[in-house]
């Protein structure tokens, strides 16, 4: 047997094994099926590997795109440069972060609010605010499925600045933004139906449970309204008219077990008429639930506010094409995607046509379609979880095929490694979709990297889609879980280099200093207020403004540090040894941390962000007098 043949056979049996593990991963038995033309795929893979696309980002060169990655159940957001796939920064959101003091500093705790007591989160869907269907670089929004929250990140300072817990529902999953005229609303799907009111009554009557679709005001981050739906809600996207938003529902059965949720051949995509909902709320046509003041409208089947479009089967991703023409629902347990014509939706709402008549194509793509993304040239790219592939297909050809013409809409299938969830093409959620890069977030890396114990990294793969053929360029091992990402042109983001002294991020701390008669930019002072002690100090590399301060055992101590350095990239840290207190203080930032001085003695504090040749010496002492 030739070497080549041997390799091919080995590779085939490996893929066979992987395919079967993928099937087990999705829903147990009953899903095994089509093997596809593996030999053909192999040759495609070999070809992709042998041809480079000539792109190289040399050391010191900057990337063309920012990528914002959700960190899944690690709760954070990560910033990558694309195409180099270098990790540039992490933004803690729903997690606790030792380096920056997120969840530890007073400023971050204020932003975390009531939910500061949670140490965990599950960040899924990062999306950038838009004006007229284009990224405006102002905010990034992201959901927390674990604790039913929505967070906002300011893209000037790259910090989380608001977190809202959504009332009356459980598990915010799908999240997308209004695209036009601008991002007034953040749309958020609550996935899991619950009893209403959820206070211990009626727990075993799932047929009475419901969940809601939520609109959050993007500026105030308050919930504007909620819409009761049938079934449940998975993913969502908005259109380019500002009127419609669609969400997939995989549980039309209202099942509470896996088997029950797979019973129906079709579930649906529910379409929301945002303008009609706004009118209903304005007219006072709503109720409220429990203590919450949020207007709740009824969007269950038969309501004027929604329409339910039947699509097969346990659909998952819902993606709007960048030309504004289609919502695409990804079939998951059906090998198809359903193409919904947005220009037919006014007729659906006017009852001139049946909801199902808005489906104008249902191409068969392969096993386990999860998410679709677009190149702005009429092609769609759908991840096939079970097949471990991305299918490239042409939307207009799929429509022609649905209408009976003999035309092949499939352009290419590319192997990815392995079991992809989301994929995302550059600028795909905006009018500017430019069809250059495709990131595929593969849930398993299996044999692609050195083994690192039972827990393996996942695999972010970068694919060049600028030509006719998709070409795999890069494997990027990532820590759990790179759930989803968004790629935006570097010039669409405008990050600050220094903090502004009047930044709202630490305005409350500045106000506290003012009350204490302290000028943060110059004073180093200890203020006693009963058993509360506030210690104000400056930092200029390599020195804190105070070399020591004295408190009494049992005091609640708040240390406020103002970094006076005006130099870009000169961040200090503050760490109080043996007190669990540490934080970042960026150039021109004020940050504070509060702890109890519960043991008498000498405790050193030191700077923990490397700032100077004498960084090790940047320290001081807290003297705690015995009570
Ligand atoms: S959903 S793997 Cu949380 Cu983004 Cu589709
Ligand atoms: Cu200041 Cu290190
Ligand atoms: Ca179902």
């Amino acid at each position: 047997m030739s070497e080549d043949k041997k390799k091919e056979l080995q590779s085939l049996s490996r893929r066979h094994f992987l395919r079967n593990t993928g099937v087990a991963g999705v829903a147990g038995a009953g899903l095994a099926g089509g093997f596809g033309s593996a030999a053909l795929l192999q040759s495609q893979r070999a070809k992709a590997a042998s041809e480079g696309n000539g792109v190289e980002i040399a050391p010191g060169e900057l990337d063309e795109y920012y990528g914002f990655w959700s960190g899944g159940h690690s709760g954070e957001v990560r910033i990558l440069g694309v195409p180099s796939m270098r990790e540039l920064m992490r933004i803690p959101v729903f997690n606790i972060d030792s380096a920056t003091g997120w969840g530890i500093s007073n400023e971050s705790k204020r932003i975390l609010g009531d939910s500061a007591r949670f140490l965990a989160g599950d960040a899924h869907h990062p999306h950038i605010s838009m004006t007229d269907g284009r990224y405006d670089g102002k905010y990034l929004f992201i959901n927390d499925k674990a604790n039913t929250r929505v967070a906002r990140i300011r893209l000037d300072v790259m910090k989380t600045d608001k977190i809202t817990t959504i009332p009356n529902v459980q598990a915010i999953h799908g999240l997308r933004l209004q695209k036009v005229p601008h991002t007034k609303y953040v749309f958020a799907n609550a996935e899991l139906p619950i009893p209403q009111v959820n206070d211990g009554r009626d727990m075993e009557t799932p047929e009475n449970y419901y969940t809601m679709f939520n609109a959050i005001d993007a500026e105030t981050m308050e919930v504007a309204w909620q819409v009761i739906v049938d079934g449940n809600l998975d993913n969502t996207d908005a259109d380019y008219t500002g009127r419609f938003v669609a969400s997939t529902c995989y549980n039309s059965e209202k099942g509470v077990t896996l088997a029950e949720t797979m019973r129906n051949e079709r579930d649906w995509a529910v379409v929301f008429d945002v303008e009609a909902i706004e009118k209903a709320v304005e007219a006072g046509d709503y109720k409220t639930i429990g203590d919450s003041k949020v207007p709740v409208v009824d969007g269950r089947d038969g309501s004027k506010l929604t329409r339910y479009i039947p699509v097969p089967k346990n659909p998952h991703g819902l993606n709007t094409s960048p030309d504004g023409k289609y919502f695409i629902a990804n079939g998951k347990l059906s090998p198809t995607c359903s193409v919904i014509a947005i220009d037919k939706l006014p007729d659906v709402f006017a009852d001139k046509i049946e909801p199902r008549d808005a489906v104008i194509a249902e191409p068969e793509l392969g096993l386990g379609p999860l998410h679709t993304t677009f190149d702005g040239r009429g092609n769609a790219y759908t991840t096939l979880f079970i097949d471990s592939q991305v299918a490239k297909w042409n939307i207009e050809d799929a429509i022609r095929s649905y209408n009976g013409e003999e035309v092949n809409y499939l352009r290419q299938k590319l192997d990815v490694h392995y079991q992809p969830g989301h994929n995302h093409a550059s600028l795909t959620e905006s009018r500017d979709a430019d069809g250059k890069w495709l990131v595929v977030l593969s849930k398993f890396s299996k044999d692609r990297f050195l083994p690192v114990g039972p827990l393996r990294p996942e695999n972010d793969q970068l694919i060049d889609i600028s030509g006719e053929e998709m070409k795999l360029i890069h494997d990027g091992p990532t820590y759990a879980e790179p759930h989803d990402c968004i790629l935006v042109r570097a010039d669409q983001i405008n990050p600050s280099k220094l903090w502004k002294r009047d930044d709202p991020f630490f305005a409350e701390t500045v106000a506290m200093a003012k009350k204490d008669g302290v000028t943060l930019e110059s004073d180093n002072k200890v203020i006693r207020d009963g058993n509360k002690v506030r210690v104000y100090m400056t930092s200029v590399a390599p020195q804190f403004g105070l070399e020591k301060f004295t408190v009494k055992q049992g005091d609640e101590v708040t240390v406020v540090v103002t970094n006076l350095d005006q130099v870009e990239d000169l961040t200090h840290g503050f760490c109080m040894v043996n007190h669990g207190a540490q934080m970042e203080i960026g150039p021109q930032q004020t940050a504070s941390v509060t702890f109890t001085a519960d043991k008498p003695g000498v405790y050193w504090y030191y700077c923990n962000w490397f700032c100077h040749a004498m960084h090790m010496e940047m320290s001081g002492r807290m003297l705690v007098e015995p009570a």
Side-chain angles (χ1 to χ4, degrees), residues 303-351:
S303 153
K304 291 196 296 283
L305 310 177
T306 55
R307 286 293 181 272
Y308 291 77
I309 301 179
V311 298
K313 174 182 186 176
N314 287 37
H316 183 59
L318 191 297
N319 305 89
T320 309
S321 60
D323 57 11
K325 289 184 178 168
Y326 313 113
F327 287 137
I328 294 185
N330 298 251
K332 193 165 75 186
L333 294 189
S334 158
T336 55
C337 274
S338 304
V339 180
I340 296 165
I342 291 171
D343 66 1
K344 289 191 185 283
L345 294 175
D347 283 351
V348 172
F349 274 87
D351 294 323

Side-chain angles (χ1 to χ4, degrees), residues 511-529:
M512 179 180 82
K514 202 170 166 201
K515 262 213 207 131
D516 279 340
V518 168
T519 305
L520 287 168
E521 291 76 10
S522 55
D523 291 353
N524 291 289
K525 265 190 190 164
V526 179
I527 308 272
R528 176 169 285 281
D529 172 5

Side-chain angles (χ1 to χ4, degrees), residues 509 512 520 535-538 558-562 583 590-593:
T509 310
M512 179 180 82
L520 287 168
V535 181
Y536 293 93
M537 65 175 92
T538 58
T558 299
V559 174
V560 182
V561 184
T562 299
M583 61 185 180
T590 293
S592 69
V593 64

Side-chain angles (χ1 to χ4, degrees), residues 201-252:
R201 274 176 271 179
D202 249 357
M203 294 197 284
E204 283 292 10
T205 45
E207 56 284 11
N208 294 338
Y209 297 180
Y210 62 76
T211 190
M212 292 190 276
F213 174 74
N214 307 276
I216 299 135
D217 183 301
E219 277 306 321
T220 64
M221 286 293 281
E222 274 161 28
V223 184
W225 36 261
Q226 300 182 295
V227 185
I228 304 171
V229 293
D230 283 311
N232 78 344
L233 294 167
D234 194 353
N235 281 292
T236 184
D237 206 349
D239 73 350
Y240 284 86
T241 71
R243 181 176 168 192
F244 299 117
V245 183
S247 299
T248 45
C249 158
Y250 62 78
N251 189 6
S252 60

Side-chain angles (χ1 to χ4, degrees), residues 1 40 67 92 144 151 165 202 279 302 358 368 394 413 435 451 489 512 578 592:
M1 200 186 299
L40 175 80
D144 170 24
T165 301
D202 249 357
K279 276 194 197 121
N394 183 274
K413 287 189 180 185
R489 260 194 346 260
M512 179 180 82
N578 286 0
S592 69

